[in-house]
C-alpha cells in the first residue's frame, strides 16, 4: 500500500514514528513534510496530501497536527475524502469497517507512540464492511457544499 503522510509542527514529533511503523509493515511512504518543529500552517500540508490522494497517486493518507482537529477540518472539505480523527484503536477499526476511511488523522499532542501504533495497525488491517454502510457514504457525497 502506498501512503502519503503530512503534518504541521504539532504533529511533527509523531510523524517519523508513524513513518517507521508504516515502513515496517511494508508500506511505501511518501513524506510530504513538514520536517521540523518550526511553526507552519496545517492547511498547506493537508493540501499536499489531499491532492496526492485525489489524484490517485497514493492509496490512503495520514495527517497529523497538534489535536488532529485542523487537519480533520481540511480533509473533510474534499468530496471523496473520508477523514477519521482517531485517538483510540477501536475508533480506527470502526472508521474502516463502517466509514471506509481513506484518511487517518491523529493529534500528536493527544496520543503517544504506543497508541498511535495500535491505531495505525487497526486502520491498515481492517477492511470496509460495505452493505448498509455503502449507501450512507454515498449520501455524504450528496450533501451540498452550501445549504
Ligand atoms: C498548532 O499550534 C495547532 O493549532 C495545530 O497543530 C492543530 O492542533 C490545529 O488544529
Amino acid at each position: 500500500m502506498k501512503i502519503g503522510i503530512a503534518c504541521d509542527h504539532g504533529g511533527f514529533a509523531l510523524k517519523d514514528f508513524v513513518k517507521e511503523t508504516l515502513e515496517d509493515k511494508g508500506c511505501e511512504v511518501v513524506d510530504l513534510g513538514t520536517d521540523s518543529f518550526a511553526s507552519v500552517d496545517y492547511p498547506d500540508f493537508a493540501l499536499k496530501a489531499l491532492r496526492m490522494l485525489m489524484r490517485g497517486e497514493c492509496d490512503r493518507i495520514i495527517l497529523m497536527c497538534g489535536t488532529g482537529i485542523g487537519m480533520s477540518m481540511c480533509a473533510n472539505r474534499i468530496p471523496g475524502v473520508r477523514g477519521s480523527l482517531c485517538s483510540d484503536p477501536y475508533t480506527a477499526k470502526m472508521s474502516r469497517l463502517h466509514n471506509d476511511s481513506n484518511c487517518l488523522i491523529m493529534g500528536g499532542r493527544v496520543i503517544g507512540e504506543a497508541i498511535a501504533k495500535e491505531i495505525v495497525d487497526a486502520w491498515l488491517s481492517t477492511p470496509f464492511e460495505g452493505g448498509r454502510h455503502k449507501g450512507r457514504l454515498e449520501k455524504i457525497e450528496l450533501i451540498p457544499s452550501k445549504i
Side-chain angles (χ1 to χ4, degrees):
M1 198 182 290
K2 185 171 176 181
I3 301 191
I5 62 171
C7 68
D8 74 350
H9 51 291
F12 175 63
L14 192 58
K15 188 189 69 172
D16 279 348
F17 175 77
V18 167
K19 190 175 176 179
E20 275 173 35
T21 301
L22 292 169
E23 286 170 346
D24 285 349
K25 291 178 168 298
C27 295
E28 182 185 346
V29 180
V30 181
D31 183 347
L32 298 161
T34 188
D35 297 310
S36 78
F37 288 108
S39 182
V40 293
D41 297 334
Y42 56 82
D44 297 337
F45 290 86
L47 200 51
K48 288 174 194 243
L50 290 163
R51 280 208 176 102
M52 209 183 154
L53 180 67
M54 296 322 287
R55 289 174 181 167
E57 294 164 3
C58 62
D59 301 300
R60 298 192 203 168
I61 57 173
I62 299 180
L63 305 175
M64 290 151 278
C65 63
T67 58
I69 293 171
M71 286 294 199
S72 189
M73 289 177 169
C74 295
N76 287 311
R77 284 183 67 89
I78 311 297
V81 175
R82 295 175 298 279
S84 53
L85 172 55
C86 297
S87 302
D88 65 88
Y90 173 76
T91 308
K93 178 182 166 185
M94 296 311 291
S95 80
R96 289 289 312 137
L97 274 178
H98 287 192
N99 311 109
D100 197 17
S101 166
N102 56 4
C103 169
L104 172 64
I105 304 134
M106 293 182 286
R109 295 173 182 160
V110 178
I111 56 167
E113 292 184 350
I115 297 295
K117 185 178 182 315
E118 287 191 32
I119 289 170
V120 170
D121 285 350
W123 186 73
L124 283 179
S125 64
T126 308
F128 176 46
E129 206 171 76
R132 68 191 187 281
H133 303 295
K134 193 168 175 293
R136 292 168 185 166
L137 295 180
E138 285 165 2
K139 283 194 177 183
I140 293 177
E141 296 303 323
L142 296 175
I143 294 174
S145 57
K146 285 191 180 146
I147 53 174

